[in-house]
Amino acid sequence: MREREFGRLAGTVYLDHAGATLFPQSQLTSFTNDLMENVYGNPHSQNISSKLTHDTVEHVRYRILEHFHTSTEDYSVIFTAGSTAALKLVAEAFPWVSPGPESNGSRFCYLIDSHTSVVGMRKVTTAMNVTSIPVRPEDVRAAETRGTAASDPDCQLPHLFCYPAQSNFSGTRYPLSWIGEVKAGRMCPMSVPGKWFVLLDAASYVSTSPLDLSVHQADFVPLSFYKIFGFPTGLGALLVNNRVAPLLRKTYFGGGTAAAYLAGEDFYIPRQSVAERFEDGTISFLDVIALKHGFDALERLTGGMENIKQHTFTLAQYTYTALCALRYPNGAPVVRIYSDSEFSSPEVQGPVINFNVLDHSGNIIGYSQVDKMASLYNIHVRTGCFCNTGACQKHLGISDEMVRKHLEAGHVCGDDVDLIDGHPTGSVRISFGYMSTLEDAQAFLRFIIAMQLHQCDGQPLPPTTPGEVGAPSESEAQDAVPATVDRCSSSPWEDAPTDSGVSNDLPTTVAAVGLHPPLPMATRTQQIPSEKAAGVLDGGLGPRVITNLYLYPIKSCAAFEVTKWPIGSQGLLYDRSWMVVNHNGVCLSQKQEPRLCLIQPFIDLPQKIMVIKAKAIRMVCSGMEPIAVPLEENGERTQICQSKVCADRVNTYNCGEKISSWLSRFFGHPCQLLKQSSNFQRSAKKRVKDQSAGSTATLSLVNEAQYLLINRPSVLELQQQLNASDANGKEELFPMKELISRFRANIITSGTSAFEEETWDEISVGSLRFQVSRGCSVILPQGLPMETDLRLWPGWWPGRWQVGIPCL
């Protein structure tokens, strides 16, 4: 079934089913055939095609209620844009009572372990002067034990209690019995007189488990269908208990919701049906029709939700047990799991595992590092706080004050700032779906083992002496242009340069940077740096010099080495001016398409062309002839389009069908070559200190800065650690020129001590002055995926370190 229905997962380990599960091929095929064979019109019309749509949509409503073991007698289905929209609908329509002379008003209680969309309901209640109260799971359990009841059972003041059937953070499953206990008044989240209603956030729970609403009759049940079927997205529903529906209030009315109204007077009569009253405008009826095919495929492939529940829990339990057993040689655990259960039963735990990876000393490794490492193994996980700050704070020990300090430090929800002052800001989550396999779980475990247990014992670095491989020759050192450094920081750990942007004090007119004594202007130089030009060692420091200069005309493609090159307003002229995009216009990187490293561009300035070649490795690019692309666009025929690079909008233009066909043939799927428009200005997000607001640097298609620099002695120290940690004991497992190439720096320096560059604030090269913006974290993964050709993945090697690369 996996091969037939999910062939696109070949070579991929998808473990983010709690985020979005995947649809099977037969579901999509059945749905598209349905659309091709039938005409579905707007359900608000009265023609034949509209009647077909209306009847099909009503059938789907029945199917949804049947799936949850109930019927139209007890529940109504209101289609929404998702579970978030369903929650917002409840917040706005619930019959809240504001405080007044006769009562203290309604209460809105929600479990701390709730999704952001639940917590966000309090903004609506606050506007009505209704008190919102977060409650801890242990407090609710204590109330369950005590059997706390309201003091006045006759009081009908409405209160609302919201809790998730399953935590989207940890997978903890809260008792469905709470629904009946709270509604009956035998258990209350807080002791106040009135009548409690229950909203069960079922979005995470129903993705892998059956929910019987005939037994657990919550008043409101929001859900999102892509969590269950994978497709369609952007469609959810609110299941409303019919006994509660008459209490709901509505202010706005949209198309299809009115029985009658007057345009000139305040006269409006809503439709009788709950669904028709709350579904403003035309619903997404084709997506609703797609649900029928989702139900069909789910039942045909799995036999029902009970089977999914058992299968996914078994995989999670197996993985949890294996992770708990992982230990370093010193006995320290490899991971710290955040859970309220011991995965004993699917009744208390869903197929979700939340954790952080630890080093052998017990220090947490940031989730961003783990995510990047996993992506290299083509393992898809979720990281961060998962839109559940309450659970994140509880399990990670983050106080309210720390949340505020993290925000002041620049951390916001969803970014990759994973550690602040050594404390984690989030974690890693894996989750299973019905199409997950034991092989998926084992592949993930092998990844964790390879990443952390490949070699964990630190070993002293072997002594080195001048003249070893990695040191530049005397002639090379003499030929290089001296560089001076303004060192304003006393150590790598004190007053390190901040992420402050890029200096723009460079010449705006084209000027040449000479790296050797006077030579003719070099149009292209493809010299591979010799092994002797690898770096210098402490104790034998010469003048600070630049030994190599690289540009990367096409983003994520191979380097183009030069000895002399013009400086433009955005950095080295034509550096990262082009990018390869897929059929959707999304920029490709080597993570998605590793063969980008085989695309070798050469720039010929006199001819005003870029020649692109495909490096031949095995049978990868047999018969690919070089192709030329103009350096500049033809203004008369160029059509500007908008693209996105590193969350920035950029204006680009297509370089033509000829190069698109060439790239598509090479990669085996549709691709295009885009170039940033010459008249488009993209500004750096941050400025360096003492830089005025009007002098922000302009960027090409780079990530953050105009130039990247790397120091040979730092790479040499890394090389020594890599070779020392190699379990096979090979000598010089990683040649310097290969290590340097993997950092994709523009400027290679020498004549300094290792990691001295971390203290630099400014660099001068001749008359040019560069300001250091920040250090770029580069993660070097440990261990290779099975059957990986290292030559196709230049970013991988055993070992894991963080190395700072100054951005200029």
Side-chain angles (χ1 to χ4, degrees):
M1 186 268 285
R2 169 76 170 249
E3 181 179 355
R4 181 183 68 253
E5 297 284 358
F6 301 93
R8 62 190 185 278
L9 283 178
T12 297
V13 178
Y14 184 84
L15 296 176
D16 189 24
H17 293 274
T21 196
L22 304 175
F23 59 84
Q25 179 65 38
S26 61
Q27 175 186 342
L28 193 60
T29 301
S30 178
F31 173 53
T32 53
N33 289 340
D34 188 352
L35 296 184
M36 296 298 293
E37 296 169 2
N38 295 283
V39 178
Y40 291 107
N42 190 314
H44 291 165
S45 299
Q46 299 298 319
N47 57 55
I48 298 175
S49 59
S50 299
K51 186 64 164 60
L52 175 63
T53 301
H54 177 272
D55 292 344
T56 306
V57 167
E58 293 308 304
H59 170 75
V60 173
R61 293 188 205 270
Y62 299 149
R63 191 76 176 270
I64 292 170
L65 296 176
E66 180 184 3
H67 181 78
F68 294 111
H69 304 280
T70 187
S71 68
T72 56
E73 294 180 358
D74 294 320
Y75 281 88
S76 295
V77 178
I78 302 173
F79 288 114
T80 65
S83 58
T84 294
L87 290 164
K88 183 171 180 285
L89 189 157
V90 174
E92 294 172 342
F94 189 80
W96 306 107
V97 174
S98 300
E102 298 181 358
S103 75
N104 292 324
S106 299
R107 297 290 189 273
F108 169 52
C109 287
Y110 58 90
L111 209 65
I112 285 286
D113 187 359
S114 288
H115 193 277
T116 301
S117 299
V118 170
V119 181
M121 295 171 67
R122 71 186 183 195
K123 296 297 290 184
V124 178
T125 63
T126 299
M128 301 183 65
N129 203 23
V130 170
T131 303
S132 299
I133 303 170
V135 294
R136 300 179 303 171
E138 51 266 37
D139 294 334
V140 180
R141 292 190 177 100
E144 183 181 21
T145 302
R146 294 192 306 267
T148 305
S151 57
D152 184 2
D154 296 327
C155 179
Q156 295 299 303
L157 185 67
H159 309 296
L160 182 63
F161 173 52
C162 299
Y163 80 97
Q166 174 178 295
S167 168
N168 72 308
F169 181 92
S170 63
T172 296
R173 288 183 168 171
Y174 294 101
L176 296 178
S177 60
W178 286 0
I179 299 170
E181 294 293 308
V182 171
K183 290 182 63 177
R186 293 188 295 271
M187 181 184 84
C188 296
M190 59 181 301
S191 184
V192 293
K195 180 178 177 61
W196 284 94
F197 297 86
V198 178
L199 184 153
L200 180 72
D201 180 5
S204 179
Y205 181 86
V206 298
S207 62
T208 55
S209 285
L211 175 61
D212 191 340
L213 292 180
S214 67
V215 176
H216 307 291
Q217 295 189 355
D219 298 298
F220 308 100
V221 183
L223 49 93
S224 289
F225 291 109
Y226 74 94
K227 302 277 190 181
I228 306 173
F229 306 121
F231 176 86
T233 58
L235 180 67
L238 176 66
L239 308 187
V240 181
N241 193 308
N242 289 336
R243 290 192 294 272
V244 180
L247 303 178
L248 299 181
R249 302 176 300 193
K250 191 168 185 282
T251 52
Y252 173 83
F253 63 93
T257 64
Y261 77 96
L262 290 176
E265 295 183 21
D266 186 12
F267 174 76
Y268 162 71
I269 302 299
R271 289 182 178 270
Q272 291 298 313
S273 159
V274 176
E276 290 180 319
R277 199 176 351 144
F278 283 92
E279 290 174 351
D280 291 304
T282 302
I283 61 174
S284 185
F285 56 88
L286 293 182
D287 286 339
V288 173
I289 293 171
L291 297 180
K292 171 188 177 299
H293 303 279
F295 282 116
D296 290 343
L298 194 73
E299 294 171 4
R300 183 181 68 254
L301 297 175
T302 69
M305 296 303 297
E306 185 62 34
N307 291 339
I308 294 176
K309 172 183 172 181
Q310 296 298 332
H311 172 71
T312 55
F313 173 75
T314 300
L315 290 175
Q317 185 184 50
Y318 165 80
T319 307
Y320 168 82
T321 304
L323 285 174
C324 290
L326 292 180
R327 291 287 187 275
Y328 288 101
N330 64 1
V334 173
V335 299
R336 178 178 299 159
I337 296 177
Y338 306 112
S339 175
D340 296 311
S341 77
E342 296 182 353
F343 285 71
S344 59
S345 163
E347 306 307 319
V348 297
Q349 178 65 46
V352 176
I353 304 175
N354 197 305
F355 65 96
N356 267 318
V357 179
L358 310 174
D359 64 17
H360 64 278
S361 298
N363 300 311
I364 289 178
I365 297 173
Y367 63 75
S368 183
Q369 291 192 36
V370 178
D371 191 15
K372 292 174 182 177
M373 291 286 295
S375 68
L376 295 177
Y377 285 74
N378 210 7
I379 297 175
H380 301 211
V381 301
R382 178 80 177 267
T383 59
C385 269
F386 322 102
C387 296
N388 192 331
T389 299
C392 197
Q393 286 187 257
K394 170 191 172 184
H395 288 285
L396 274 62
I398 303 174
S399 66
D400 293 350
E401 183 61 27
M402 290 173 68
V403 172
R404 295 185 176 95
K405 287 184 177 180
H406 291 174
L407 179 63
E408 293 174 358
H411 169 59
V412 296
C413 293
D415 66 15
D416 59 358
V417 180
D418 49 17
L419 293 172
I420 297 179
D421 296 331
H423 199 283
T425 63
S427 55
V428 183
R429 185 187 73 186
I430 64 172
S431 49
F432 298 92
Y434 75 80
M435 69 293 299
S436 300
T437 64
L438 179 62
E439 288 74 19
D440 290 334
Q442 292 174 334
F444 169 75
L445 292 169
R446 284 195 299 268
F447 155 68
I448 294 294
I449 291 170
M451 184 175 72
Q452 294 306 114
L453 300 179
H454 180 271
Q455 184 73 36
C456 59
D457 292 333
Q459 298 182 15
L461 297 179
T464 56
T465 57
E468 284 189 24
V469 173
S473 65
E474 183 178 352
S475 61
E476 288 173 324
Q478 291 175 349
D479 287 343
V481 173
T484 60
V485 177
D486 176 16
R487 183 185 307 175
C488 299
S489 302
S490 58
S491 77
W493 315 112
E494 297 176 2
D495 300 321
T498 59
D499 181 5
S500 54
V502 185
S503 169
N504 207 29
D505 295 338
L506 301 177
T508 56
T509 58
V510 173
V513 178
L515 299 184
H516 294 273
L519 292 171
M521 184 62 173
T523 58
R524 65 180 181 88
T525 304
Q526 269 318 110
Q527 303 173 10
I528 302 298
S530 65
E531 290 292 334
K532 294 181 180 180
V536 294
L537 306 174
D538 291 344
L541 303 181
R544 298 185 177 95
V545 296
I546 292 177
T547 61
N548 300 85
L549 191 63
Y550 297 96
L551 61 150
Y552 305 83
I554 306 177
K555 188 176 177 68
S556 295
C557 291
F560 173 51
E561 185 179 9
V562 296
T563 57
K564 190 175 185 180
W565 199 253
I567 293 291
S569 61
Q570 298 174 339
L572 293 175
L573 190 62
Y574 298 120
D575 181 49
R576 296 172 171 93
S577 292
W578 290 265
M579 63 180 176
V580 180
V581 300
N582 65 10
H583 64 289
N584 290 324
V586 177
C587 179
L588 294 178
S589 70
Q590 289 189 28
K591 287 184 179 180
Q592 298 90 27
E593 183 48 82
R595 288 173 295 178
L596 283 167
C597 68
L598 303 178
I599 299 296
Q600 176 67 69
F602 302 83
I603 291 183
D604 190 328
L605 289 177
Q607 297 296 323
K608 297 182 179 180
I609 61 172
M610 176 174 63
V611 178
I612 304 174
K613 296 182 179 180
K615 294 180 182 179
I617 291 184
R618 296 179 180 171
M619 301 299 293
V620 172
C621 48
S622 177
M624 298 294 295
E625 295 294 329
I627 187 171
V629 175
L631 293 181
E632 300 296 341
E633 66 264 38
N634 185 332
E636 298 178 358
R637 297 180 298 171
T638 301
Q639 182 176 356
I640 302 299
C641 58
Q642 292 190 350
S643 304
K644 180 171 284 190
V645 172
C646 298
D648 291 340
R649 178 188 62 83
V650 293
N651 284 355
T652 60
Y653 69 89
N654 195 311
C655 294
E657 184 61 33
K658 185 177 179 181
I659 182 61
S660 296
S661 299
W662 191 90
L663 291 170
S664 300
R665 177 187 170 197
F666 176 75
F667 292 117
H669 54 81
C671 293
Q672 295 177 331
L673 184 68
L674 303 184
K675 183 179 186 293
Q676 182 172 334
S677 178
S678 58
N679 58 5
F680 178 78
Q681 297 293 319
R682 176 185 171 222
S683 299
K685 292 184 175 66
K686 299 182 180 179
R687 298 188 300 272
V688 295
K689 62 182 180 181
D690 302 327
Q691 186 177 7
S692 62
S695 61
T696 304
T698 59
L699 305 179
S700 61
L701 301 178
V702 296
N703 289 358
E704 294 184 53
Q706 293 177 331
Y707 304 87
L708 287 176
L709 177 147
I710 195 168
N711 188 16
R712 285 182 178 274
S714 303
V715 181
L716 178 61
E717 182 167 321
L718 170 64
Q719 180 199 39
Q720 293 168 347
Q721 293 188 43
L722 289 171
N723 290 333
S725 66
D726 177 39
N728 298 323
K730 298 179 182 177
E731 295 184 2
E732 197 175 84
L733 185 62
F734 304 99
M736 276 291 292
K737 66 179 182 181
E738 291 188 10
L739 281 179
I740 288 175
S741 69
R742 298 182 189 200
F743 286 95
R744 301 180 64 77
N746 299 110
I747 301 171
I748 316 299
T749 64
S750 190
T752 65
S753 59
F755 305 112
E756 179 186 321
E757 66 276 10
E758 295 184 16
T759 68
W760 296 350
D761 285 336
E762 185 174 297
I763 301 171
S764 297
V765 182
S767 61
L768 296 176
R769 183 170 64 88
F770 301 83
Q771 287 184 299
V772 178
S773 169
R774 59 170 294 191
C776 306
S777 296
V778 177
I779 297 171
L780 313 185
Q782 176 177 18
L784 289 171
M786 297 299 293
E787 302 177 357
T788 297
D789 187 341
L790 183 60
R791 292 171 296 182
L792 296 181
W793 293 84
W796 284 353
W797 52 78
R800 181 182 54 77
W801 286 266
Q802 271 197 216
V803 179
I805 305 181
C807 303
L808 310 179

